[in-house]
Amino acid sequence: MKSTFNLKYTVHNGGWAVFEIGDIEKAVTLNISFFHDSLKELAQSAIVLRSKEETSVVFMDEPGEHKLILKRSGTNIIYELRWYKGWANWNLLSEDHFETILSGTTTLPKYINLVRENLIRIMNEEGIEGYKKKWSKHDFPFNEYELLKG
């Protein structure tokens, strides 16, 4: 039986968000700081994977960061979620010093649809102004939203 892959991105006040990722066997919840525009990068990953083999998404915490590595293989996506104790994205820690905390496979259409559904839900719940108020440092990724909403 194939496991059910899921993503949920929730924006909170004060420049914080929560990202849930996983399947039936294992799921992980990440705290995300506004230090990095993770929702935009998540949206871009769904667009990029249509034509490229690999991309990644950074989710900065305080301290540390998670990095979601996505590799396309035909119509499948192989994913790996890495944890860095420091900010590798800002070159404060080597990219080689990570712990893999989650990995698995899903399909490209499933990944793109989940990212699309999260963007639509956030837009419906928060709107552009509400998102900016909560996330402060970054605007809602409207261009990516328009490309994905279909």
Side-chain angles (χ1 to χ4, degrees):
M1 182 178 144
K2 235 176 178 206
S3 54
T4 306
F5 180 71
N6 194 33
L7 301 174
K8 186 172 182 191
Y9 194 107
T10 307
V11 182
H12 295 289
N13 286 316
W16 285 96
V18 171
F19 184 61
E20 299 166 52
I21 179 173
D23 58 29
I24 285 174
E25 295 161 18
K26 184 177 180 184
V28 180
T29 301
L30 320 178
N31 291 315
I32 306 167
S33 165
F34 70 105
F35 283 164
H36 189 79
D37 198 354
S38 298
L39 184 60
K40 181 174 185 168
E41 202 165 90
L42 183 67
Q44 288 171 339
S45 74
I47 295 163
V48 165
L49 285 170
R50 291 173 173 166
S51 60
K52 295 203 171 144
E53 297 293 316
E54 186 174 341
T55 191
S56 64
V57 182
V58 172
F59 303 96
M60 293 183 101
D61 200 344
E62 296 177 28
E65 72 185 26
H66 289 89
K67 187 172 188 178
L68 179 61
I69 309 295
L70 301 154
K71 296 180 181 178
R72 185 168 53 87
S73 177
T75 59
N76 288 325
I77 300 287
I78 300 160
Y79 63 90
E80 177 186 5
L81 184 64
R82 298 175 177 176
W83 166 249
Y84 295 87
K85 290 181 179 174
W87 290 329
N89 185 54
W90 287 359
N91 298 315
L92 299 177
L93 181 75
S94 168
E95 285 272 340
D96 299 331
H97 292 93
F98 65 86
E99 174 189 350
T100 298
I101 60 169
L102 185 70
S103 61
T105 306
T106 189
T107 66
L108 180 61
K110 174 83 172 170
Y111 182 78
I112 292 170
N113 285 333
L114 285 169
V115 172
R116 176 189 296 122
E117 288 168 10
N118 275 277
L119 287 169
I120 291 169
R121 179 181 45 78
I122 292 167
M123 177 61 121
N124 290 340
E125 289 174 359
E126 308 293 342
I128 290 174
E129 294 81 17
Y131 180 85
K132 180 69 173 181
K133 187 175 178 185
K134 284 185 173 182
W135 204 233
S136 69
K137 200 171 176 185
H138 305 285
D139 293 323
F140 181 80
F142 190 76
N143 291 338
E144 290 81 0
Y145 164 80
E146 285 290 311
L147 284 169
L148 286 169
K149 78 174 187 179

